[in-house]
Amino acid sequence: MNYHELAQAIVEQVGGIKNITQLVNCATRLRMNFKDESLVDLEELKKINGVLGAVKKSGQYQIIIGTDVANVCNEIKGMGLEELTQPSQKKGGIIDTLMDIFASIFTPIIPAITAAGMIKAILVICVLLGMQKESQVYIVLSFIADAGFYFLPIMLAISSAKKLGCNPYLAAMVGGALLHPSFTKLVTAGDPLFFLGMPVKLINYGSSVIPIILAVWLMTYVERFADKVSPKPVKFFLKPTLTILIVVPIVLIVLGPLGSYIGTGIAFVTDFLNARVSWLVPTLMGAFMPLLVLTGMHWSFLPVLMTSYTTYGYEAVMGPGSLVSNVCQGSAALCVSIKTKNKELKQLASSAGITALMGITEPAMYGVTIKFKKILLSVMIGGGVGGFYAGLMGVVRYTSGTPGLLSLPIFIGENPMNVVHALIACAIGFVVTFVLTWFYGFEEPVGTLDQAETKEAEADKKESFMKKIVITSPVKGKKVNISKINDETFAKEIIGKGIAVESVDGRVVAPFDGTVATVFRTKHVIGLRSEEGVELLIHIGIDTVELDGKFFTPHVQDGDTIKKGDLLLEFDKKAIEEAGYETIIPVLVTNTSAYLEIVASEEGYVEIGETLLTIL
């Protein structure tokens, strides 16, 4: 792979180097923000040789490269991209904004945390092999590893400042104040401490996460205030002095304790789940990790993971389930490589399968799993079963890192059986996924990979064409092909096949006789079931879950019997759009696998009651 040429091709499709406001990379993806998003061409990005996929999720554009991503990222930075400390000015929903912030803050420090955790894993192995903990080699390596966690507030201060748009070195000074030996001595002594008559809570901030993020958030406002009130002749020294003198006391008196309480609360919830229902979270993570990665939602768990690491020295929220899920992705891809006779698919699946077993799942996910929906279901079932075992056995991850067979040392800790149970969970997930894919999930493609229907399926479609079910439009407006939706989950038809409609009047009516399966708590989703058994999902808008029901007025509730044409829901289209959300409505058949085909009508204007979908 020519990294320079690939970097150049990517930069051309994102509007040039000057359009990039932020660039970071994780294990497999470039994560970018832009000044003018209209200059970014996602479809052309996907066509670039070396790009596995491109999506916009969690407030960022994510360009999937694979394990060579760091080299490509460095090439782009070498084209003249300056290190920016200005926050993105784009509007977005609260959830997207928070996930964007979490991703940008935690991604840069992951290598340091990973290195610290791997050194700890090496020390555990050395002790098992006979090394004494009192030896000088052990002591030196131990404090090297501990430094990665103890000085976490300083590292987070720098990355937070770069994301939120304030001076990273002043932010590091705030973090240093929280860890200063004089303060830690006062904490150890326990004697009451006051500043200008106000009590200072004595808390050990070593390895803490939330307090420093709150501190830098405050600093973004204080620094702008200090800049405004400082006269130009003395601004050079007055601005940073005012910033520190205002921020650090407020953090010590208010925000630090608040962040500590939040961290304690997160740790309590995590501890409660591990103690009472240890199997639940790994099962859910094992099953739904592919969907979390596809939508970028996995970044929302970063504060929880970091808090767990620094509180307990391990985490059981994402690590065990994601390990099993990654192995299941590899299992499915390898199964396809063995079973298929298609040379193109065999080569792709074999390479992607091995890579997924090592922990990098994007090639398998985008090259195999998503293209064959039953395989995705097989992966999810296998991941759930393996995750259930991991949860029952109390498997934990001792440090950050992409879970895979090569990174198994991150599961090595004081309990020598932890890594053994992790391997057993992987084996369970691998076997379950392989068997399901072999006997249920895979249909041999005809011709190229894009022609995923077999000759037998084509014949069945013709034979059963007369047994069709027609779904009429519940919305008046413009029909849009589902692949054009600005949401990967809908566009890739992961939930089900269907079509989308851009409503013109904010009304949604019943498209058939049946029942209301569910009205989602946030009122933006209605699930219906027809008398023929068709399960239909009507999703009003993209990311409108963040509105928490605002601007939506449902006229039905769970279990209601409906007749075709009954008013189901009304929404304030203008208000939702003014809040920054798209109001396009995906209409999806969620039990797609129960039918031979879901045929969407052609794009164009549609009235309520006219044919929208034909089910064969």
Side-chain angles (χ1 to χ4, degrees), residues 59-126:
Q60 285 184 323
Y61 284 81
Q62 302 173 18
I63 303 172
I64 303 152
I65 305 296
T67 53
D68 295 312
V69 66
N71 296 312
V72 179
C73 186
N74 290 333
E75 287 289 341
I76 295 176
K77 290 179 179 178
M79 293 179 183
L81 181 67
E82 296 181 359
E83 188 174 9
L84 299 166
T85 58
Q86 293 301 316
S88 173
Q89 299 299 317
K90 67 183 182 62
K91 290 177 64 177
I94 294 176
I95 294 178
D96 269 0
T97 301
L98 287 176
M99 288 201 298
D100 177 28
I101 291 172
F102 292 156
S104 300
I105 288 175
F106 288 102
T107 298
I109 70 167
I110 285 177
I113 299 301
T114 301
M118 290 299 291
I119 293 172
K120 284 183 173 291
I122 291 171
L123 287 175
V124 171
I125 295 173
C126 289

Side-chain angles (χ1 to χ4, degrees), residues 157 161 164-174 212-226 240 243-244 247 251 255:
L164 298 178
C166 54
N167 190 300
Y169 305 103
L170 286 179
M173 184 176 176
V174 176
I212 192 61
I213 295 177
L214 292 177
V216 177
W217 168 77
L218 170 66
M219 184 177 161
T220 61
Y221 296 97
V222 174
E223 193 173 39
R224 288 199 289 269
F225 167 77
T243 301
I244 292 298
V247 170
V251 171
L255 291 185

Side-chain angles (χ1 to χ4, degrees), residues 7-321:
Q8 281 186 322
I10 291 172
V11 169
E12 288 176 6
Q13 299 303 329
V14 299
I17 197 72
K18 292 184 178 180
N19 193 38
I20 303 173
T21 59
Q22 186 175 32
L23 170 66
V24 294
N25 70 273
C26 58
T28 60
R29 306 181 184 204
L30 294 172
R31 298 177 178 273
M32 310 173 81
N33 294 103
F34 305 100
K35 296 176 184 175
D36 185 354
E37 295 186 359
S38 67
L39 300 177
V40 181
D41 194 330
L42 276 178
E43 294 306 315
E44 289 301 319
L45 280 169
K46 295 175 183 178
K47 296 177 183 177
I48 296 174
N49 185 25
V51 173
L52 301 175
V55 296
K56 181 189 176 185
K57 289 305 298 179
S58 306
Q60 285 184 323
Y61 284 81
Q62 302 173 18
I63 303 172
I64 303 152
I65 305 296
T67 53
D68 295 312
V69 66
N71 296 312
V72 179
C73 186
N74 290 333
E75 287 289 341
I76 295 176
K77 290 179 179 178
M79 293 179 183
L81 181 67
E82 296 181 359
E83 188 174 9
L84 299 166
T85 58
Q86 293 301 316
S88 173
Q89 299 299 317
K90 67 183 182 62
K91 290 177 64 177
I94 294 176
I95 294 178
D96 269 0
T97 301
L98 287 176
M99 288 201 298
D100 177 28
I101 291 172
F102 292 156
S104 300
I105 288 175
F106 288 102
T107 298
I109 70 167
I110 285 177
I113 299 301
T114 301
M118 290 299 291
I119 293 172
K120 284 183 173 291
I122 291 171
L123 287 175
V124 171
I125 295 173
C126 289
V127 170
L128 292 175
L129 294 176
M131 178 182 284
Q132 297 298 314
K133 291 185 178 181
E134 294 77 16
S135 70
Q136 292 185 345
V137 173
Y138 183 95
I139 292 172
V140 171
L141 290 178
S142 182
F143 73 66
I144 290 174
D146 288 340
F149 291 100
Y150 182 79
F151 292 104
L152 188 60
I154 296 178
M155 292 187 285
L156 285 173
I158 295 171
S159 61
S160 298
K162 289 181 177 180
K163 174 59 184 175
L164 298 178
C166 54
N167 190 300
Y169 305 103
L170 286 179
M173 184 176 176
V174 176
L178 298 179
L179 302 176
H180 196 279
S182 296
F183 182 67
T184 56
K185 285 181 181 179
L186 292 171
V187 173
T188 303
D191 296 328
L193 177 65
F194 294 87
F195 181 80
L196 298 178
M198 293 176 286
V200 175
K201 186 79 172 177
L202 297 175
I203 296 172
N204 186 351
Y205 290 107
S207 303
S208 62
V209 174
I210 306 297
I212 192 61
I213 295 177
L214 292 177
V216 177
W217 168 77
L218 170 66
M219 184 177 161
T220 61
Y221 296 97
V222 174
E223 193 173 39
R224 288 199 289 269
F225 167 77
D227 181 74
K228 185 177 180 180
V229 302
S230 299
K232 191 173 183 180
V234 294
K235 181 175 293 188
F236 176 76
F237 62 83
L238 184 58
K239 175 184 172 181
T241 304
L242 280 176
T243 301
I244 292 298
L245 286 178
I246 294 173
V247 170
V248 176
I250 293 177
V251 171
L252 289 173
I253 296 168
V254 181
L255 291 185
L258 175 62
S260 178
Y261 295 145
I262 294 173
T264 301
I266 293 174
F268 173 79
V269 172
T270 303
D271 190 49
F272 176 83
L273 291 174
N274 289 338
R276 301 295 179 88
V277 282
S278 63
W279 54 269
L280 178 61
V281 175
T283 301
L284 295 176
M285 285 293 177
F288 294 103
M289 184 56 62
L291 302 185
L292 292 176
V293 172
L294 279 172
T295 58
M297 286 293 293
H298 58 304
W299 288 105
S300 62
F301 293 93
L302 281 173
V304 179
L305 303 187
M306 289 298 178
T307 300
S308 185
Y309 284 136
T310 55
T311 303
Y312 303 111
Y314 59 81
E315 67 88 10
V317 176
M318 184 175 287

